[in-house]
Amino acid sequence: MGKIIAIANQKGGVGKTTTAINLAASLAILDFKTLIVDADPQANSTSGTGLDPKEIKNGIYECMVDDISPEDCIMHTDIPSLDILPSHINLVGAEVEMINLEAREEIMKGVLNGIRGNYDFIIIDCSPSLGLITVNALTAADSVIIPVQCEYFALEGLGKLLNTIKIIQARLNQRLEIEGILLTMYDMRLRLSNEVVQDVRHNFKQMVFNTLIPRNIRLSESPSFGVPVVAHDAESKGAISYLNLAKEILENNNYKL
C-alpha cells in the first residue's frame, strides 16, 4: 500500500506545488512508483508536468463529483515511474457541489484508496486554503508536509494550520501525522533567512526537515518548460535539494534505497 502525503499550507506562495512536483519526481527517479494528485484548481502541478489543464477532460474533479474511476483519469509523465491525476478549473466549484453529500470530507479518501496499492507514494498538491478540498486531502493522507518560506511572515497562519490538522486527527483521520515542516526559498546570504531557520527549528525542533530548499533559478524556471527541475537541470542546487528531501523522507520511513 502506497503512502499518501499531502503538501499543505493555506498561505500561498510558499512552494507547495514546487515541492509536490519535485519531491514526486525525485521519488520516481529513485525508482519508487509515484503519483501526483493535483488538488488545486489552479492546476499548476498539471501544467508543471507538461500537460495543458485546458485539454484535461477527466481529472480529480470528475473522480470526486462524477464518480469516474481514477484509473481512467491518471496520465503518465515523461519521467518513468511518475504519474499524475490532473486538475482543471472546474475543481473550483467542487466544494459547492460536495457540500450536501454524505461523508463529504472522505470523498478523496475513497477515490485514492482504490489505487494506492498501485503506487509506493501518492503526493497531493493542496490548494492555498483550508477549504473542503484540503480537508479531503488531509483526511485521505497518511501524513502532511508543511512548506514554510524563509521570509518575514513565515510563521503567520502556521498555528491555524496545525490547529486544523489537530481537528482532522481528532474527528476524521486519527492516523494523520506531520511528516515534517519544510523550509523553502532559503538564501544563505540573507540574515533574515538564517534567522527564520533558527526560529522555526527552535520552535518546532524534530518536526523540521534537515533539508533546506534554496532559492534557485533552475527551480523557478522549470515549470515554464513543463518539467520537474531534475529533468531541467539535474545538477542544480534545487534538484539536489529535492533529491535530498526524498532520501530524508525515505530514511524516516525506513525505506531502503
Side-chain angles (χ1 to χ4, degrees):
M1 295 286 281
K3 179 164 190 175
I4 302 177
I5 304 176
I7 315 290
N9 191 329
Q10 79 273 22
K11 192 170 164 54
V14 299
K16 281 188 300 295
T17 297
T18 299
T19 296
I21 293 171
N22 292 295
L23 171 59
S26 296
L27 289 166
I29 291 290
L30 294 169
D31 285 334
F32 290 89
K33 191 158 178 55
T34 306
L35 174 71
I36 302 172
V37 177
D38 191 348
D40 186 347
Q42 296 177 79
N44 290 334
S45 279
T46 300
S47 59
T49 49
L51 302 174
D52 184 351
K54 294 177 182 176
E55 295 181 359
I56 299 298
K57 297 289 190 292
N58 293 318
I60 186 65
Y61 169 82
E62 284 74 19
C63 294
M64 296 178 72
V65 174
D66 298 330
D67 205 24
I68 290 178
S69 169
E71 291 172 320
D72 294 332
C73 305
I74 288 170
M75 304 181 77
H76 302 298
T77 72
D78 290 337
I79 294 180
S81 298
L82 181 62
D83 294 344
I84 183 165
L85 181 50
S87 181
H88 52 69
I89 192 61
N90 286 4
L91 187 63
V92 80
E95 296 198 4
V96 176
E97 295 180 52
M98 291 162 55
I99 199 71
N100 291 320
L101 296 180
E102 188 177 346
R104 60 183 180 269
E105 299 91 351
E106 299 183 0
I107 295 173
M108 189 183 296
K109 178 181 178 180
V111 170
L112 298 183
N113 274 351
I115 56 169
R116 67 185 297 172
N118 300 337
Y119 294 94
D120 297 304
F121 289 94
I122 296 176
I123 308 295
I124 307 175
D125 180 19
C126 297
S127 62
S129 76
L130 294 178
L132 186 55
I133 300 297
T134 298
V135 169
N136 261 262
L138 294 173
T139 303
D142 299 304
S143 66
V144 55
I145 291 173
I146 305 169
V148 173
Q149 81 279 36
C150 294
E151 294 179 0
Y152 185 69
F153 292 113
L155 300 180
E156 188 181 74
L158 188 55
K160 188 175 181 182
L161 175 60
L162 292 172
N163 190 50
T164 298
I165 290 170
K166 283 183 181 178
I167 292 170
I168 288 170
Q169 287 170 328
R171 300 181 185 176
L172 296 166
N173 184 2
Q174 291 182 350
R175 75 181 188 285
L176 181 66
E177 298 178 343
I178 295 175
E179 191 76 34
I181 294 172
L182 177 66
L183 290 159
T184 63
M185 305 177 195
Y186 173 68
D187 188 337
M188 65 180 296
R189 300 167 299 178
L190 299 180
R191 187 175 71 179
L192 178 61
S193 272
N194 290 299
E195 286 176 352
V196 170
V197 170
Q198 289 178 359
D199 194 23
V200 173
R201 285 184 167 161
H202 173 74
N203 283 290
F204 297 100
K205 298 180 173 58
Q206 302 303 318
M207 288 170 61
V208 186
F209 286 111
N210 293 323
T211 304
L212 297 171
I213 306 300
R215 286 192 179 277
N216 179 250
I217 189 67
R218 292 289 184 259
L219 202 52
S220 300
E221 68 189 14
S222 61
S224 66
F225 292 91
V227 294
V229 69
V230 70
H232 181 51
D233 184 351
E235 296 183 357
S236 66
K237 286 184 178 179
I240 292 167
S241 295
Y242 274 109
L243 201 58
N244 287 337
L245 175 65
K247 290 176 180 177
E248 186 174 350
I249 289 169
L250 290 167
E251 186 178 321
N252 290 346
N253 286 276
N254 299 313
Y255 282 88
K256 290 185 179 180
L257 286 172

